[in-house]
Amino acid sequence: MRGREVLEKWGLPDLAGNGRFVSANIMDSLGNGLVLAFTVIYFTTTTSLSLGSIGAALSLGQLLALPTPVLAGSLIDRLGARKVVIAANLISAAGFTAFLAADTVGKIVVVQFVVQAGSSIYWTAGRGLVLLAAHSHDQARWFGFIGALRNIGGGFGAAVASLALAVGSDWIRLLIVVNAASFVIAACLIAGWRPVTEDRSPRHIRTRKGEGYAVVLRDTRYLRLVLANLAFVLAASVLPVLLAVYLTESLHVATWLVGACTVGNMALVALVQTFVARMTERRRPTRVLALAGVVNAVAFTVFGLLLAVPGWVVVAGLVPAMAAFTVAEMLSVPSSGELSASLAPEHIRGRYLGAFQLSWTLGNAMAPALLTMLLGHGPAWPWVVLGALNLLVVPLVLSLGDAPAQDGPRTEKAAAPTAEPVERP
């Protein structure tokens, strides 16, 4: 009983039987933190290529991997989410291992494609794994818990990588080896995990003739969710793409404030995400997601207003702006993840998740060009556009309704509960 009280107090889900799943998420996020933030530094250190050539090669590799979620969705429906995640981790391990031999533009394009493909496949199938771990009453907690867990692992990995680079650039190749090993360990952990909600019989639900992505494209309700999530992806890109250049060049603040904002965001998500999940678990995820849009709009308004205040007020103003931005992140990521799975028919859920993941891949690809272009037209424009997009999301999300997913082509009416034990009732 004592253990359950602790779980309840901290907003944690029931972890019984899911230790390997939790450990795999830690290893996967640790690996991402070790290298992804230092990819450019790695290639500038280990090759004689120019910075422009490296950047172009990395961008091309990422662009080539954009359609990967579509393939991943079909594989999930055929093989199940767990097998696809195992394959994704092994692909990532192979890609990072190949970094050691990538010394030309062509090789960098290839290894970046492999790494991005592995990441996209993982994220497409990973939401299905959360449903295998969760029960119907704690799905929101699981999505929040995994988000917090990955923040902790990613932050720790980035800290270790920063320390290693500070000691000496010779350590960077060792980081690649450790990173690749972390993905292999994650794959082994998932392979040994036997979730209690997993159907252990052969997959008996098959895609019917004529079904597939055509069904997803006809499902206007789900497409509205995908479109709404694109706005949240662009909002999330503020931290890695826009914040540093805005603070230093537009607001003329000290560079250490950029790091402080980033660390503060990461720490809040790691420490508070599960509490937020507990507070919102009895609310409909559509309403939570709509609230996230409003809070994002408030955050972007404050960021924009900092242009009009005296310099000594800017530092104080960053606190509420970053707080609102972080709260919106903690509201949006678990609720959008839960909706992406619960609004999808069970027998072609993989294809639905593939369509949802496209909003992340497209948004991440669009964000650098879009946000920097807006900033070039004036420092207020990114905040105006992002704020407007997030306000437009509110009616879009609320129009999704509260009906659970159905099998087959769907209407807005609620279907009878399926046999899947983790569907929202």
Side-chain angles (χ1 to χ4, degrees):
M1 179 61 70
R2 181 64 178 172
R4 291 186 179 182
E5 290 176 355
V6 172
L7 292 178
E8 181 64 28
K9 179 180 178 180
W10 287 89
L12 297 172
D14 184 1
L15 304 179
N18 295 308
R20 287 187 175 91
F21 175 55
V22 172
S23 300
N25 272 277
I26 294 174
M27 295 305 300
D28 185 271
S29 57
L30 177 65
N32 281 316
L34 281 172
V35 171
L36 287 185
F38 303 96
T39 300
V40 174
I41 295 176
Y42 172 80
F43 286 117
T44 56
T45 303
T46 60
T47 71
S48 59
L49 299 172
S50 68
L51 183 61
S53 298
I54 292 170
L58 292 173
S59 295
L60 180 57
Q62 186 164 340
L63 287 172
L64 291 174
L66 283 180
T68 309
V70 177
L71 172 63
S74 300
L75 292 175
I76 294 167
D77 290 332
R78 295 174 184 272
L79 305 175
R82 200 157 61 86
K83 291 180 180 178
V84 175
V85 165
I86 293 170
N89 277 320
L90 294 177
I91 290 171
S92 294
F96 281 115
T97 302
F99 268 39
L100 298 172
D103 54 3
T104 66
V105 169
K107 290 179 181 179
I108 293 176
V109 171
V110 172
V111 297
Q112 175 73 348
F113 165 75
V114 174
V115 166
Q116 288 298 317
S119 178
S120 293
I121 294 171
Y122 175 87
W123 282 110
T124 305
R127 296 180 184 89
L129 288 191
V130 174
L131 289 183
L132 290 180
H135 298 283
S136 60
H137 65 279
D138 65 354
Q139 287 184 15
R141 291 192 179 200
W142 266 106
F143 278 104
F145 173 65
I146 292 300
L149 200 66
R150 296 190 68 83
N151 242 45
I152 295 171
F156 182 75
V160 171
S162 299
L163 180 62
L165 290 174
V167 172
S169 59
D170 292 341
W171 286 84
I172 198 166
R173 291 184 183 275
L174 178 61
L175 287 178
I176 295 295
V177 174
V178 173
N179 182 60
S182 72
F183 285 104
V184 174
I185 294 171
C188 293
L189 288 168
I190 293 295
W193 174 49
R194 293 295 180 268
V196 294
T197 56
E198 184 178 41
D199 182 6
R200 299 184 185 183
S201 62
R203 290 182 61 83
H204 58 281
I205 301 176
R206 300 293 183 185
T207 303
R208 300 164 190 151
K209 185 177 181 180
E211 287 189 331
Y213 279 107
V215 175
V216 183
L217 293 175
R218 291 195 299 267
D219 190 340
T220 57
R221 181 173 63 167
Y222 200 84
L223 293 181
R224 292 199 297 273
L225 173 63
V226 173
L227 183 60
N229 193 63
L230 182 60
F232 287 110
V233 175
L234 292 174
S237 299
V238 163
L239 206 59
V241 175
L242 183 63
L243 189 65
V245 65
Y246 177 71
L247 293 184
T248 57
E249 295 188 12
S250 299
L251 298 182
H252 308 291
V253 301
T255 54
W256 66 265
L257 278 172
V258 178
C261 289
T262 304
V263 172
N265 168 270
M266 187 177 297
L268 278 176
V269 173
L271 296 173
V272 184
Q273 177 70 83
T274 55
F275 287 103
V276 173
R278 186 186 68 177
M279 293 169 59
T280 59
E281 65 183 348
R282 297 187 184 277
R283 306 288 182 182
R284 291 289 184 177
T286 49
R287 297 175 186 176
V288 177
L289 196 56
L291 177 61
V294 174
V295 177
N296 256 338
V298 171
F300 298 144
T301 300
V302 177
F303 273 122
L305 290 176
L306 293 179
L307 291 164
V309 301
W312 60 271
V313 181
V314 169
V315 176
L318 281 174
V319 175
M322 282 303 302
F325 176 81
T326 304
V327 169
E329 178 185 349
M330 291 188 289
L331 291 171
S332 66
V333 174
S335 54
S336 63
E338 183 180 4
L339 282 168
S340 71
S342 64
L343 291 180
E346 194 273 345
H347 67 291
I348 52 171
R349 180 178 290 149
R351 287 172 172 83
Y352 273 73
L353 294 178
F356 183 78
Q357 182 61 28
L358 278 177
S359 65
W360 280 99
T361 55
L362 288 173
N364 286 329
M366 291 169 50
L370 176 63
L371 296 180
T372 54
M373 179 194 71
L374 291 171
L375 189 64
H377 283 80
W381 276 109
W383 311 115
V384 172
V385 172
L386 288 171
L389 286 175
N390 277 265
L391 287 179
L392 289 173
V393 157
V394 175
L396 192 65
V397 170
L398 292 177
S399 73
L400 300 177
D402 297 324
Q406 319 177 46
D407 288 342
R410 300 185 295 137
T411 65
E412 297 294 337
K413 296 179 180 179
T418 66
E420 174 62 41
V422 294
E423 286 287 318
R424 172 173 288 277

